[in-house]
Amino acid sequence: MNDLVDFSVVGNVGVITINNPPVNALAQAVRQGIQDGVNQGVADAAVEALVIVGGGRTFIAGADISEFGKPLAAPDLNSVLTSIEDSSKPVVAALHGTALGGGLEVALACHYRCAVAQGAVGLPEVKLGLLPGAGGTQRLPRLVGPEAAADMIIGGNPVPAPKAAELGIVDEIVEGDLTAAAAAYAARLVAEKAPLRRIRDMDEKVASARGDEALFEGLRKKFSRQARGQPAPYACLESVRNAVELPFDEGMKKDREIFTGLMASPESAALRYAFFVEREANKIPDVPKGTPVREIKSAAIIGAGTMGGGIAMNFANAGIPVTLLEVTQDALDRGIGVISRNYASTVKRGRLSEAKMNERLALIQGVLSYDDIADADVVIEAAFEEMPIKKEIFAKLDAVCKPSAILASNTSTLDIDEMAAVTKRPGSVIGMHFFSPANVMRLLEVVRGDKTDKDVIATVMGLGKKIGKVSVLVGVCDGFVGNRMLHGYLREANFLLEEGALPAQIDRVIYDFGLPMGPFAMGDLAGLDIGWRIRKAKAASRPSNQRYSPLGDKLCELGRFGQKTGSGWYRYEEGNRAPIEDPEVEKIIVETSAELGMERREISDEEILARCIYPLINEGARILEEGMALRASDIDTIWINGYGFPSYRGGPMFYADQVGTKAVYDAIVKFADEQGPQFWEPAPLLAKLAAEGKGFLGR
Ligand code: NAD
């Protein structure tokens, strides 16, 4: 038909093949080609049915997002889908890989769908703050009923083909060559005189839900946590409801209005931004694409504790053999025991097969001697956070590891350059800062030392991707990027308690802003004793005139370490992680305010939000000035993937631009007046941008 769409005839079946690698996105020429293909098939007397199939490794995986925000060139997808649905000859979608978004919408306009068992279908538009705008919201409920449709449209997650077959989305699971199997299936439909099944004309599945208030109220509740602060999930629900209550064309008309509104929403802008900049983080100006990389076929981890175990799982999950080194057999057994239990619970929850678990466990080997890791391509040190221990380990690694090995540290606070300095190969030393739980959290801060070689950076960035991480390059500084910014956030949260707030109020404000939990619930989850120990170690170096909140220390002195001890900033009931407000804690806070000579005051939610979030922005500005992050969007990627910053707010720097750098700057100056300049000195970059009326992005 054109460069991207091919038409051929197999027996009595016309086959429309889309060849727009890598994901057969619905670019203009693809839309045009499909429409022309359908017209040609309908016009050709020798063709009795049509198949639409994706060339390469997938069906259509969605819209061409580079067309977002631009006026769409004809034909628009909906008119293509109408041609398919109105075809006088049956059209079959042949699915493999992922049929996502516009891809699934194409399939839903077809009269029948077949798929290979490994395929998956989904409508992920909600994750970009949108709704599936080409009839997905109107057709899917008619096919599978409003509840299953809402799960897919509001949840946004893909559904494997076998499950899709159970739901009725896929009519036939096929094996062998997909095009041949789909053509055979289409020929069979012709032979059986199967009717042209137009989903838009189906009514049975939606009729029973018509006027069912309770059903939709239930769905609203079901998704309320995920939907917090965002219009798109509710818009999707409204749209599903329209499918139930309105004729197809009216529902489609409403969808266009709803879609336009969503496209203009700040939440969708933020989500689309977050999606794009996550990929941008891989671009490193002085480490261009094509920089040679070292081959990574095996890994070793030093220390099988909380982090080491989780890191090892990442490698095993990616099929890379990994050796865990510990100091004692006991520690090793404990570490491997935790990993086994972790996998076993995933199996129990039905998310991993027993066979896969065994395969992964077989890739993890525990050892006690450095000789056993001499051949590892990359070694990640995850032992105790003490420089002498790290130095000793790096010296040993330098002595035993092969010359091409990359030596990495997972340190959260220590200087990578100091570790590199004890080796004869500082160019091969780098930081790989994983986040806890390391097998779950997507963020990986890749810490570039003074002497780190470019091929090492390129290798580790690529390795991060291979083990399923979002890698962001950062420089060596205290706390790197993420934790360095976190300091100010936690500091202000504590100060606010002394001034008049309570943990539950602050946590509620932060939760409502969109983080998974506020600072105090997070502290209780992570354990308060770690920070306490670090603060004690650093106490001597703290300037005596610096404001310091003793509250966290007071809780720890009472043995309140958080969830693990049944109490921290909140109290917890046995076997329950739900925080319960504790009058004991309120008493300690109120007494502390008095001891500090502070008159407690009513603190507004607005002040809480600004006091907690603006320090992130101010520190982010400093990080940019110092070149510790390459770009403002990298900071946002870190905060979204490592700290649960709501992606629909784009990250702290994007949020700053939305609030306006001038407004953020003015607020910081005001806090400096009220609180003293100690912690509220505006970053020069923020001051400059505010004065110039510019933002952090595209500055
Ligand atoms: P952990 O105490 O749970 O585990 C450390 C493990 O290292 C222990 O099993 C210990 O036996 C072993 N170990 C100690 N010295 C060793 C040595 N010389 N050789 C081999 N093994 C040795 O600690 P963790 O929480 O897993 O932290 C490990 C590292 O990861 C630290 O540098 C920490 O700062 C960093 N980190 C921790 C987190 C976190 O949230 N826990 C997050 C990011 C980074």
Side-chain angles (χ1 to χ4, degrees):
M1 304 312 329
N2 58 37
D3 286 351
L4 301 185
V5 181
D6 184 57
F7 185 88
S8 60
V9 178
V10 178
N12 61 344
V13 177
V15 178
I16 299 167
T17 308
I18 299 145
N19 292 306
N20 185 20
V23 295
N24 290 324
L26 280 164
Q28 187 277 337
V30 172
R31 299 195 296 274
Q32 187 70 60
I34 296 174
Q35 189 160 51
D36 293 348
V38 171
N39 290 339
Q40 178 158 336
V42 169
D44 186 339
V47 167
E48 294 184 85
L50 288 154
V51 163
I52 302 178
V53 64
R57 58 182 166 87
T58 187
F59 191 68
I60 300 160
D64 183 348
I65 41 183
S66 67
E67 288 184 358
F68 274 18
K70 296 181 192 157
L72 209 56
D76 70 59
L77 186 55
N78 275 314
S79 62
V80 178
L81 300 196
T82 304
S83 322
I84 298 172
E85 203 164 42
D86 287 349
S87 156
S88 53
K89 300 173 183 175
V91 185
V92 173
L95 311 178
H96 72 314
T98 45
L100 297 182
L104 178 55
E105 290 178 304
V106 169
L108 290 173
C110 295
H111 305 108
Y112 295 90
R113 286 150 294 281
C114 64
V116 298
Q118 301 75 23
V121 301
L123 294 170
E125 281 80 353
V126 72
K127 296 190 173 178
L128 295 179
L130 301 170
L131 59 70
T137 58
Q138 301 308 300
R139 288 192 180 91
L140 195 57
R142 286 176 163 83
L143 186 62
V144 302
E147 277 183 278
D151 275 349
M152 283 181 68
I153 296 168
I154 306 174
N157 296 319
V159 170
K163 173 92 202 289
E166 253 172 58
L167 288 170
I169 299 171
V170 166
D171 301 296
E172 182 103 344
I173 297 284
V174 294
E175 286 175 8
D177 177 74
L178 177 60
T179 303
Y185 174 54
R188 203 178 83 213
L189 290 170
V190 171
E192 287 171 358
K193 297 198 167 41
L196 294 173
R197 283 172 70 221
R198 292 194 185 96
I199 294 178
R200 68 165 177 227
D201 298 334
M202 295 180 178
D203 190 54
E204 194 186 315
K205 289 273 164 88
V206 282
S208 55
R210 214 157 278 149
D212 189 344
E213 289 303 329
L215 171 74
F216 285 94
E217 199 37 50
L219 286 170
R220 177 173 278 274
K221 282 217 182 84
K222 178 172 175 185
F223 290 102
S224 62
R225 189 182 162 94
Q226 175 209 327
R228 181 164 48 113
Q230 302 180 69
Y234 294 112
C236 287
L237 183 60
E238 182 189 339
S239 201
V240 169
R241 175 123 216 207
N242 289 340
V244 170
E245 306 290 350
L246 301 177
F248 181 81
D249 288 332
E250 271 181 54
M252 289 297 289
K253 191 162 159 255
K254 290 256 190 235
D255 262 14
R256 277 194 290 282
E257 288 161 21
I258 300 174
F259 186 88
T260 309
L262 289 176
M263 195 52 133
S265 69
E267 291 83 1
S268 175
L271 287 163
R272 281 177 279 134
Y273 157 85
F275 178 85
F276 280 111
V277 298
E278 187 177 308
R279 280 140 195 86
E280 183 92 1
N282 282 309
K283 295 185 190 143
I284 301 162
D286 68 334
V287 186
K289 225 178 163 174
T291 301
V293 290
R294 301 187 189 179
E295 195 173 25
I296 305 291
K297 284 191 164 160
S298 64
I301 318 287
I302 311 297
T306 312
M307 294 306 287
I311 297 169
M313 290 173 76
N314 289 312
F315 283 92
N317 295 349
I320 301 171
V322 55
T323 308
L324 268 172
L325 184 143
E326 260 292 352
V327 269
T328 64
Q329 188 64 44
D330 260 8
L332 197 53
D333 293 344
R334 215 178 315 125
I336 293 193
V338 171
I339 294 176
S340 306
R341 282 196 294 282
N342 236 321
Y343 277 131
S345 91
T346 315
V347 169
K348 208 168 154 197
R349 275 179 286 138
R351 302 225 186 114
L352 185 75
S353 70
E354 192 134 356
K356 276 258 179 315
M357 168 178 83
N358 291 332
E359 254 172 49
R360 291 177 190 187
L361 280 171
L363 288 170
I364 303 174
Q365 196 203 350
V367 300
L368 295 171
S369 157
Y370 278 76
D371 294 336
D372 295 323
I373 60 166
D375 282 334
D377 295 315
V378 61
V379 183
I380 302 170
E381 171 280 316
F384 296 138
E385 186 74 340
E386 286 170 39
M387 190 51 104
I389 295 180
K390 308 263 188 208
K391 280 185 173 170
E392 193 189 318
I393 292 173
F394 271 81
K396 277 191 197 153
L397 292 175
D398 191 33
V400 301
C401 290
K402 62 184 181 188
S404 62
I406 291 176
L407 310 182
S409 171
N410 177 49
T411 181
S412 345
T413 54
L414 301 175
D415 187 341
I416 300 289
D417 293 331
E418 255 188 73
M419 296 173 215
V422 303
T423 73
K424 291 184 208 66
R425 45 171 125 181
S428 294
V429 176
I430 193 165
M432 288 179 77
H433 185 213
F434 289 84
F435 288 71
S436 185
N439 55 316
V440 177
M441 296 299 290
R442 291 180 76 218
L443 178 63
L444 175 64
E445 281 183 335
V446 176
V447 189
R448 177 181 199 157
D450 258 357
K451 300 208 167 95
T452 310
D453 289 335
K454 291 182 183 177
D455 67 330
V456 171
I457 295 172
T459 306
V460 170
M461 292 297 288
L463 177 62
K465 195 169 177 188
K466 212 182 214 168
I467 59 173
K469 300 294 167 193
V470 174
S471 312
V472 182
L473 190 71
V474 301
V476 176
C477 58
D478 191 14
F480 309 122
V481 170
N483 285 345
R484 175 172 161 179
M485 289 167 68
L486 187 67
H487 282 312
Y489 166 85
L490 297 179
R491 180 193 67 229
E492 289 305 314
N494 278 271
F495 287 171
L496 284 161
L497 295 181
E498 295 172 352
E499 292 169 37
L502 289 175
Q505 184 193 3
I506 297 174
D507 280 356
R508 176 183 49 75
V509 171
I510 296 300
Y511 177 82
D512 287 347
F513 180 72
L515 277 89
M517 62 188 91
F520 300 106
M522 183 183 83
D524 277 359
L525 175 67
L528 303 176
D529 49 326
I530 308 166
W532 182 42
R533 238 176 280 130
I534 296 174
R535 287 195 300 277
K536 279 199 285 193
K538 287 188 176 169
S541 58
R542 197 167 46 238
S544 57
N545 63 346
Q546 192 173 76
R547 183 175 172 189
Y548 175 81
S549 174
L551 283 168
D553 299 346
K554 285 190 178 182
L555 294 186
C556 288
E557 280 153 19
L558 295 170
R560 303 183 67 117
F561 292 169
Q563 286 190 18
K564 60 184 167 191
T565 56
S567 68
W569 292 106
Y570 298 92
R571 63 182 185 83
Y572 298 87
E573 274 166 6
E574 186 77 32
N576 193 336
R577 287 163 169 272
I580 302 165
E581 286 183 61
D582 190 343
E584 276 297 302
V585 174
E586 180 169 351
K587 192 162 156 261
I588 294 168
I589 293 171
V590 172
E591 279 171 7
T592 304
S593 303
E595 283 163 20
L596 295 168
M598 290 193 173
E599 197 167 324
R600 291 180 67 78
R601 64 187 168 94
E602 186 92 9
I603 301 183
S604 72
D605 290 357
E606 292 71 29
E607 177 176 345
I608 288 174
L609 187 66
R611 289 270 301 271
C612 291
I613 302 294
Y614 290 1
L616 298 178
I617 298 167
N618 207 29
E619 199 61 35
R622 290 213 174 85
I623 284 168
L624 285 173
E625 281 162 14
E626 294 168 21
M628 292 297 161
L630 282 171
R631 29 180 112 75
S633 64
D634 283 3
I635 296 178
D636 287 337
T637 299
I638 286 173
W639 269 78
I640 289 171
N641 292 287
Y643 298 84
F645 200 94
S647 46
Y648 64 85
R649 295 196 192 274
M653 310 318 278
F654 184 92
Y655 177 69
D657 283 6
Q658 294 219 317
V659 174
T661 47
K662 171 92 169 67
V664 175
Y665 172 80
D666 288 347
I668 288 179
V669 169
K670 183 170 144 277
F671 291 144
D673 281 348
E674 291 167 1
Q675 306 276 329
Q678 202 164 48
F679 296 113
W680 287 108
E681 198 70 58
L685 175 62
L686 175 64
K688 179 171 170 282
L689 293 173
E692 291 170 354
K694 290 187 182 158
F696 286 103
L697 298 150
R699 67 193 147 98

